[in-house]
Structures are given as C-alpha cells and as structure tokens.
Amino acid sequence: MMAQAKQFEPRIVAFVCNWCTYIAADAAGVARARYSPSVRLLRTMCSGRVDPQFVLAAFSGGADGVLLCGCHPRDCHYSSGNYKALRRYTLLKKMLSQLGIEGDRFRLEWISASEGEKFRRVVEDMTDRVRRLGPFKLNGGP
Ligand code: FES
C-alpha cells in the first residue's frame, strides 16, 4: 500500500468579534459542525479593535491566512467599529497586494451570532483557497 502525501493544512488566524462571530463559532462547535481544526480564534471586543499591525503580526508569526470577522453593518455594539474595520481592511488589502501577498490570504466577513453555519462555510472556503496557494512566504522567502 502506498503512503499518501500529507495534505497541507493552512494555519488561519481568525479575529472574531466577541458579540457576534465568536458566538457563531461557538455555536458551530456545539453543533459539531466540521470546520478546519487549523483555525485559531482570537476574540476581540469589536472588529474595529483589530489594528492592522495585528494582521501583519499574524502573518509574520506564521499564519498562512487571516480572517477578520465582525457584526453586520448597523449591528456593531460600539456603533461604527465594523465600518472602521472595513476601511482598515480595504487599505490593508491594497498594501498586502503591493507586498505580493495574495488577496485570498486576507478576508473580511460579517457573521452574526446566529450564523454558525456561515462561519463554518467561510472557514472551509478560506482554508481551501489558502491550501491551493500553499504556505505563506513573503517575497518567495523560506
Ligand atoms: S461589536 Fe462586533 S463588530 Fe463591533
């Protein structure tokens, strides 16, 4: 019997808002919805709290992809934190592109507390996309 090549399991860092996506992720876990075990959840009080430096630190710390999740527009518990997150995301996405980092490695999603299934789908889709890209290497480095 031939040994199968081990499939690359991307490390995805997910910044999740305490009030929505964290609860959705928990619900997905309670429902035993299967999603990639290589996702690391980092709970923040609001998506607007996620400084671009946190995203860069995640990549430099070994993440192959970074997912940023918050409350749907107009549902942010701090009024406009998710709009701030969206503005930062748009700018950071452009900057990452200039650095040669593929767009599929950084993603923003609005996922409410009741959307455990959406959380599962987003994680699975992102994991597949990043898996196809392979391990993260800045400028083709080691
Ligand atoms: S409280 Fe969830 S995005 Fe602001």
Side-chain angles (χ1 to χ4, degrees), residues 61-131:
D64 300 300
V66 177
L67 177 61
L68 170 59
C69 298
C71 305
H72 285 269
R74 290 193 296 241
D75 285 349
C76 175
H77 280 55
Y78 306 97
S79 176
S80 58
N82 50 3
Y83 291 112
K84 183 177 177 181
L86 176 60
R87 287 193 299 274
R88 285 178 163 177
Y89 168 80
T90 305
L91 286 172
L92 188 54
K93 187 110 174 159
K94 280 186 189 157
M95 194 185 109
L96 294 175
S97 159
Q98 293 291 311
L99 294 170
I101 298 174
E102 301 91 341
D104 280 344
R105 291 193 189 274
F106 182 41
R107 179 166 173 170
L108 171 69
E109 289 284 345
W110 309 134
I111 302 175
S112 75
S114 62
E115 293 179 312
E117 172 55 23
K118 180 177 179 182
F119 177 77
R120 187 199 65 76
R121 264 188 289 112
V122 165
V123 166
E124 282 302 289
D125 181 61
M126 184 163 182
T127 301
D128 283 348
R129 287 167 186 250
V130 175
R131 187 180 287 130

